[in-house]
Amino acid sequence: MLTLTLPDGATREVAPGTLPVDVVKSIGEGLARAAIAVAVNGKVQDLMTPLRDGGDFRVLTARDAEALDVLRHSTAHLLATAVRRVRPDAKIGFGPAIEDGFYYDFEVERPFTPEDLERFEQEMAKVVKEKLPFVRAEVSRREAQQVFADDPLKLERLSELGDDEVISTYTDGPFVDLCRGPHVPDTGYLKHFKLLNTAGAYWRGDEKRQMLQRIYGTAWFKKEDLDAYLHRIEEAKKRDHRVLGKQLDLFMFHQFSPGSAFWTERGTTIFNALVGYVRELQREHFQEVRTPVLYNKGLWEISGHWGKYRENMFLVQNNETGELDTSLKPMNCPSHYLLYLSKKHSYRELPLRFATFDTLHRNEVTGALSGLTRVRQFHQDDCHIFLTEDQIADEVRFLAQFIVRYYETFGLKPTVRFATRPEVRIGDDALWDRAEGALRAALEATGMPFQMKPGDGAFYGPKIDFDVTDSLGRLWQLGTIQLDYNAPERFDLQYVGEDNTMHRPVVIHRAVSGSFERFVAILIEHFAGAFPVWLAPEQVRVLPITDELADVARAVVRRMRDAGIRAHLDDRNETLNYRIRDGEVMKVPYMAVIGKREAEGDTVAVRARGEGKKQEVIPVAQFIERVGEEAKTRALQTAD
RNA sequence: GCCAGCGUAGCUCAGUGGUAGAGCACCCGAUUCGUAAUCGGGCGGUCGUCGGUUCAAUCCCGACCGCUGGCUCCA
């Protein structure tokens, strides 16, 4: 007999092979109707899979997150069922649940069109009405090979399963899939779904294998949830930095320079404000430097980039040799090493921090380019630190605090990750052991919680990544602290120690914003375009109510500008309502309205962004002081 | 780079095998207004580029460029 322990502590004795659905029914009929699946010792299985083990027994309903995965995985099968009915030639790949939905991969002669998706969706609705049960069967390898004789992708997967593994199939009506499960009891449970888009996807994620047609969809237990999700997608699109970048007149792209942003005056203001902030933070302990953009390949041969990353560099022809033996720099590190090598350094100078904002170019493949988030030309707040091994712990703490403080200014919460040696790397394992040990110890000493990212380190060393999540739910790697024992060897970096002999420093690579381009994109979406005052391209818009007051308004703008405030006059021949609306659409933090009353009292009627009902009339001087203070302190919220 | 979709006025988009339209923006005029779009008039496009089919191509076909969603990649 198996002993099942329910969440309330009660126990049930059942025979091995009992169906969970019967156990659930014995607990309550209402629960049986709501049940989607069960979890035995935390492992989710469906209601029709015989129980093998006793232990903690939990019934999953629509309220459990695990049940949502079951629902989505089943919806993927539902999709495949429909696709097979409409396009019997389709070979099936994998169809898992993913965040917010599911996908299913098919191999077909003719790729799917948007019209096909509509057909599939209609067919899915029919299958739902048919309430086809998901029937689990455990089969032998030979049986499975027969069932999937016409599905080469499934046969490939089958051949990888070990002999000790249970091979199970799930059948709903005409459709059989090689699948571990679990699934909902029948297709009638799958009511609220939507197919979203198709995409090509390499079989097994390998670009050398054939390309399959992937269909993405989403599925939910309740219609409200589905609607809310679709609404969320719409809202996310509205704050997409590419949409807002146009609407707020911040930047543009042109086909003559794909992947490189053109910054308008307003966008440049934001860009410069960010650079200015990093400069301010670095004034004390960093040395800002500038190095060339163009280098002979000799440099990249020393650094190791020529072999590994040449395809991703912009090569330039040397007119004397006719060779493509020169390149735009894709990173700053080697140039900083050259700068370091230009002098003899004492241990007294360390840690020595070279910081730069130079322009970098990487020849990203066309398909990878995307708005400001993936570009070919960009600017990092890059820094290379030369230090002794003894200084690593202190330095990592210093840098980590620096980075976290910077993000706090924007209200961004980072997740810290520790990334270890990748498969393709330079340097021997002893060196990696040392680097990973030192960096990990330093990270642990900061007391910050962190996650592991095994194999995700740079090819020259382990790193600490600071990732943030944007409004669209995408995770962005922003800041990074990378420890490098390799570069000092390759470039023969040295310093004179206390003992008057030469020593090898270690190098730390550090970036805070990642690239400013991408950081601006994240900020646009993070703030939905409503930048805090210190970043807002236009901080105050002054609106005279009538033409007669234009001169008074102009004088107020003058005073604000003299106080360092980015103020603009809007005396266009439009109604006040029109101009207010325009200011709101452009997300200007403050509008200062000047009517006859204000003109007489040297005041302005202040309207804070998004707070139309709460205007207040205050003296011009006081307003100037308030805005100036907000900008200076980089306040996140506008004052009430 | 790969798969699919898309490319029409500054922007958002409609449209048709017989050389194009709306709203907003912009310009002009009227209006002088108290907190999210005043009214009227006007300007504006070799329909991404090149080639093909056709009596005729923005529309059909092909190539290229770019963008979007994915896949791959991301020092």
Side-chain angles (χ1 to χ4, degrees), chain A residues 130-353:
Chain A
E130 293 166 25
K131 295 193 180 174
L132 303 173
F134 280 98
V135 180
R136 178 188 171 92
E138 294 184 2
V139 299
S140 69
R141 183 177 302 270
R142 185 178 298 272
E143 287 167 322
Q145 281 165 346
Q146 280 166 10
V147 172
F148 299 105
D150 292 332
D151 276 305
L153 306 179
K154 287 293 174 188
L155 290 178
E156 179 176 333
R157 176 71 191 113
L158 198 53
S159 70
E160 296 166 359
L161 292 175
D163 286 333
D164 53 339
E165 289 186 74
V166 174
I167 299 172
S168 60
T169 63
Y170 276 82
T171 306
D172 59 294
F175 179 68
V176 193
D177 201 351
L178 176 69
C179 176
R180 197 183 302 140
H183 284 285
V184 299
D186 67 63
T187 57
Y189 281 66
L190 311 170
K191 290 200 174 66
H192 309 293
F193 57 83
K194 180 152 183 59
L195 299 184
L196 297 174
N197 55 301
T198 59
Y202 297 109
W203 171 234
R204 309 311 283 271
D206 182 347
E207 63 178 325
K208 291 182 185 64
R209 309 288 306 260
Q210 71 267 45
M211 181 152 278
L212 308 181
Q213 297 302 312
R214 177 171 295 179
I215 298 177
Y216 283 95
T218 187
W220 303 81
F221 280 110
K222 289 187 286 190
K223 180 163 192 310
E224 301 92 86
D225 290 344
L226 174 64
D227 291 344
Y229 174 71
L230 296 176
H231 185 249
R232 205 163 74 214
I233 296 178
E234 285 306 309
E235 287 303 304
K237 267 188 201 151
K238 280 188 206 157
R239 59 163 71 194
D240 184 314
H241 75 277
R242 292 164 300 194
V243 174
L244 285 172
K246 210 170 270 178
Q247 186 185 317
L248 302 180
D249 188 26
L250 301 178
F251 59 87
M252 65 156 221
F253 286 91
H254 194 279
Q255 58 169 329
F256 286 162
S257 187
S260 299
F262 292 68
W263 294 93
T264 63
E265 191 260 338
R266 297 173 81 93
T268 302
T269 301
I270 296 174
F271 197 102
N272 287 343
L274 289 171
V275 173
Y277 181 36
V278 177
R279 272 211 172 100
E280 184 183 312
L281 292 173
Q282 292 185 346
R283 206 164 38 205
E284 193 74 41
H285 301 290
F286 296 74
Q287 300 185 10
E288 185 174 335
V289 299
R290 291 169 68 82
T291 58
V293 291
L294 210 54
Y295 295 86
N296 294 334
K297 68 176 179 187
L299 179 66
W300 310 117
E301 284 168 347
I302 298 174
S303 70
H305 290 96
W306 192 252
K308 194 166 183 294
Y309 291 106
R310 192 178 359 173
E311 316 80 68
N312 292 319
M313 287 201 252
F314 282 105
L315 301 182
V316 177
Q317 182 176 310
N318 177 331
N319 281 342
E320 294 193 358
T321 63
E323 305 272 316
L324 291 170
D325 58 5
T326 306
S327 107
L328 297 176
K329 68 175 168 187
M331 37 144 52
N332 295 302
C333 337
S335 66
H336 286 181
Y337 306 151
L338 298 184
L339 208 51
Y340 180 90
L341 285 167
S342 68
K343 286 185 203 162
K344 211 169 200 183
H345 294 279
S346 154
Y347 72 97
R348 295 173 190 276
E349 296 172 65
L350 310 184
L352 179 60
R353 306 182 183 90

Side-chain angles (χ1 to χ4, degrees), chain A residues 95 123 238 311 348 350-351 369 459 491 496 524 550 582:
Chain A
E123 195 62 36
K238 280 188 206 157
E311 316 80 68
R348 295 173 190 276
L350 310 184
L369 301 178
F459 76 95
F491 282 84
V496 180
I524 289 172
D582 191 59

Side-chain angles (χ1 to χ4, degrees), chain A residues 382-595:
Chain A
D382 210 356
C383 177
H384 295 93
I385 299 133
F386 305 86
L387 70 172
T388 69
E389 268 195 277
D390 294 347
Q391 293 170 329
I392 292 172
D394 282 344
E395 187 65 16
V396 168
R397 185 180 320 114
F398 168 71
L399 296 174
Q401 282 167 356
F402 183 104
I403 290 171
V404 170
R405 176 178 165 201
Y406 181 75
Y407 295 160
E408 271 171 7
T409 309
F410 306 93
L412 292 171
K413 282 184 205 70
T415 307
V416 183
R417 291 190 163 82
F418 182 67
T420 55
R421 69 192 79 181
E423 275 184 35
V424 183
R425 58 181 182 258
I426 56 174
D428 60 47
D429 283 353
L431 214 54
W432 276 92
D433 288 342
R434 213 158 109 209
E436 285 178 2
L439 190 60
R440 180 166 189 147
L443 176 55
E444 280 167 354
T446 65
M448 291 182 189
F450 64 93
Q451 300 170 9
M452 295 298 294
K453 256 206 253 187
D456 206 42
F459 76 95
Y460 47 73
K463 57 179 183 167
I464 300 168
D465 281 338
F466 296 78
D467 301 345
V468 300
T469 308
D470 72 10
S471 64
L472 299 168
R474 296 176 297 199
L475 194 67
W476 293 109
Q477 183 195 311
L478 241 49
T480 184
I481 297 173
Q482 310 179 350
L483 189 57
D484 190 347
Y485 281 83
N486 279 298
E489 294 288 337
R490 286 178 169 252
F491 282 84
D492 195 23
L493 305 181
Q494 301 188 33
Y495 67 90
V496 180
E498 208 173 352
D499 58 2
N500 198 29
T501 67
M502 287 303 190
H503 295 270
R504 185 79 73 210
V506 292
V507 164
I508 287 178
H509 307 248
R510 181 232 60 173
V512 183
S513 308
S515 90
F516 283 108
E517 280 77 0
R518 206 176 56 163
F519 193 59
V520 169
I522 291 165
L523 290 183
I524 289 172
E525 297 182 4
H526 178 61
F527 292 120
F531 290 101
V533 169
W534 74 277
L535 281 173
E538 181 179 358
Q539 295 171 318
V540 177
R541 189 173 284 191
V542 180
L543 311 181
I545 289 179
T546 67
D547 282 353
E548 284 82 64
L549 297 163
D551 285 339
V552 179
R554 193 167 294 119
V556 170
V557 168
R558 182 78 264 153
R559 281 158 73 188
M560 289 182 177
R561 291 193 164 191
D562 287 346
I565 293 168
R566 297 189 286 269
H568 294 264
L569 176 68
D570 184 0
D571 62 347
R572 287 177 295 178
N573 180 19
E574 297 287 352
T575 59
L576 182 62
N577 275 333
Y578 177 95
R579 287 176 288 153
I580 295 269
R581 179 182 150 77
D582 191 59
E584 290 285 353
V585 168
M586 293 303 281
K587 317 239 186 208
V588 179
Y590 289 110
M591 278 182 271
V593 177
I594 299 182

